[in-house]
Amino acid sequence: AGAAEEPSQTRRALVDTAAGAISGGISRTVTSPLDVIKIRFQVQLEPTAKWGVLRRDVYGPSKYTGLMQATKDILREEGLPGFWRGNVPALFMYMPYTAIQFTVLHKLKTFASGSSRTEDHLHLSPYLSYVSGAIAGSAATVGSYPFDLLRTILASQGEPKVYPNMRSALVDIVQTRGVRGLYAGLTPTLVEIIPYAGLQFGSYDTFKRSMMSWNRYRYGIEEDDSASSFQLFLCGFAAGTFSKAACHPLDVVKKRFQIEGLKRHPRYGARIESSTYKGMYHALTEIVVKEGFGGLYKGLFPSVVKSAPAGAVTFVAYEYISDWLDPSRHLY
């Protein structure tokens, strides 16, 4: 039995890896325009909303002041390709990230439930879903972080480009910051990803269970309790919105650390100088003092608008790709 089970486990791991990578790539490419706008907001020291005029005593005029205005500016100055700036390193990040995340998640759930069957994982305690999601998110973050850093730098630079491609950005970072520079902002990222991934996967499982219970109640028969693609989309949408809104301030801090001290064209506002922030707590307090509490939520609207469909697309694509690659996954 052990020998027969081993290929099944290996096959399951390969399915998780492939489905995670493909779903991550699809989700990332579809939502890239909103991600670019979110990053531009997060790294802008100047106010990103009209009410921010109260803080103009600290910084000069703002480059971006709203979602529609930012969309028009990027389209006019950079054309449509501007909305996919940094998408190559983002794919290098998201594909291994989601592959590692879903693979580790399934392994942890298999270990906790004593079964690799997907249905058995739904009977796990919700707390285990949250903890498994947090551990999987941390493992995926460490494994793909340098590409996250490069994505942020390329997406934030605008026109004219400081770095023409991923290679030039990589070389400059290593030369100016050393290899450690590729992991700038990793600490706030891990502090963010633990609650974020835990909430995302835990709430997705919770919403999915609720949806299946509703189906059982609605149809009254066990065979119709599986969630439809639209219901899975709604579960992923809700999980993405909830988790992103809760963890956004730490994402802002992460982005500031990632571009700290790097070159940026003056038209995009004040540059974040080296050693501006001495640590995560100092960064949080410095942003509040100089930019108000709203500074911690810069880019929240495009972030939520992006994360909700991104979460939905990722989960639905993962479920369908897994079924397509391995129709028997519910049986073992």
Side-chain angles (χ1 to χ4, degrees):
E5 191 177 341
E6 197 58 40
S8 147
Q9 293 293 329
T10 305
R11 181 183 176 190
R12 175 69 222 185
L14 289 172
V15 167
D16 280 324
T17 302
I22 296 167
S23 62
I26 292 169
S27 171
R28 165 63 219 177
T29 303
V30 168
T31 58
S32 179
L34 286 163
D35 201 43
V36 168
I37 294 170
K38 179 200 78 167
I39 290 171
R40 299 285 175 95
F41 281 176
Q42 288 179 320
V43 301
Q44 178 174 291
L45 296 177
E46 296 78 13
T48 57
K50 299 262 193 296
W51 51 262
V53 292
L54 296 172
R55 307 298 306 173
R56 281 203 182 138
D57 57 316
V58 180
Y59 297 110
S62 303
K63 170 69 175 169
Y64 302 117
T65 55
L67 185 62
M68 291 308 297
Q69 180 269 335
T71 303
K72 289 175 186 172
D73 258 27
I74 293 170
L75 187 60
R76 186 180 68 252
E77 294 172 1
E78 304 167 45
L80 274 177
F83 291 109
W84 277 268
R85 185 150 292 177
N87 196 48
V88 173
L91 287 174
F92 278 120
M93 176 195 80
Y94 270 79
M95 293 181 78
Y97 178 90
T98 45
I100 294 168
Q101 194 175 40
F102 278 109
T103 304
V104 172
L105 186 71
H106 187 267
K107 285 288 181 190
L108 289 169
K109 286 184 173 182
T110 299
F111 175 75
S113 66
S115 167
S116 60
R117 291 177 72 248
T118 305
E119 278 77 6
D120 292 336
H121 296 172
L122 288 171
H123 302 305
L124 286 173
S125 158
Y127 300 109
L128 277 171
S129 291
Y130 284 89
V131 171
S132 299
I135 296 171
S138 300
T141 296
V142 174
S144 60
Y145 190 78
F147 292 112
D148 185 13
L149 181 93
L150 291 168
R151 179 276 306 253
T152 298
I153 291 166
L154 293 179
S156 68
Q157 65 179 348
E159 286 286 350
K161 293 178 183 177
V162 175
Y163 302 110
N165 52 47
M166 187 168 66
R167 184 180 174 277
S168 65
L170 176 65
V171 170
D172 186 61
I173 291 163
V174 173
Q175 286 177 346
T176 56
R177 296 178 176 180
V179 175
R180 283 185 64 185
L182 293 173
Y183 291 88
L186 180 60
T187 301
T189 304
L190 286 172
V191 172
E192 175 210 3
I193 206 68
I194 289 170
Y196 173 69
L199 285 170
Q200 186 184 35
F201 282 93
S203 57
Y204 177 75
D205 278 354
T206 302
F207 293 142
K208 186 176 175 183
R209 279 193 195 101
S210 301
M211 203 68 82
M212 291 169 77
S213 296
W214 161 251
N215 287 345
R216 275 195 295 273
Y217 168 77
R218 183 181 175 190
Y219 297 112
I221 48 176
E222 196 70 22
E223 284 74 18
D224 283 330
D225 72 341
S226 61
S228 68
S229 57
F230 181 67
Q231 288 176 327
L232 290 174
F233 183 88
L234 288 178
C235 291
F237 194 95
T241 304
F242 178 58
S243 53
K244 183 52 78 174
C247 303
H248 190 78
L250 289 168
D251 194 39
V252 172
V253 170
K254 175 184 96 169
K255 295 294 191 295
R256 298 292 177 89
F257 275 113
Q258 287 181 327
I259 69 157
E260 189 180 53
L262 294 176
K263 293 174 278 189
R264 196 161 180 245
H265 196 277
R267 84 196 295 184
Y268 292 94
R271 176 176 174 239
I272 300 174
E273 301 296 339
S274 295
S275 305
T276 297
Y277 306 118
K278 297 174 177 61
M280 189 173 67
Y281 178 73
H282 179 254
L284 286 166
T285 54
E286 193 75 359
I287 291 169
V288 171
V289 168
K290 293 189 174 177
E291 303 169 49
F293 278 102
L296 295 175
Y297 291 91
K298 282 180 174 176
L300 177 62
F301 183 62
S303 178
V304 170
V305 172
K306 180 210 94 168
S307 295
V313 170
T314 300
F315 281 118
V316 174
Y318 172 78
E319 301 263 7
Y320 274 86
I321 292 165
S322 291
D323 284 340
W324 179 67
L325 289 173
D326 185 11
S328 65
R329 76 187 185 110
H330 297 285
L331 302 176
Y332 56 76

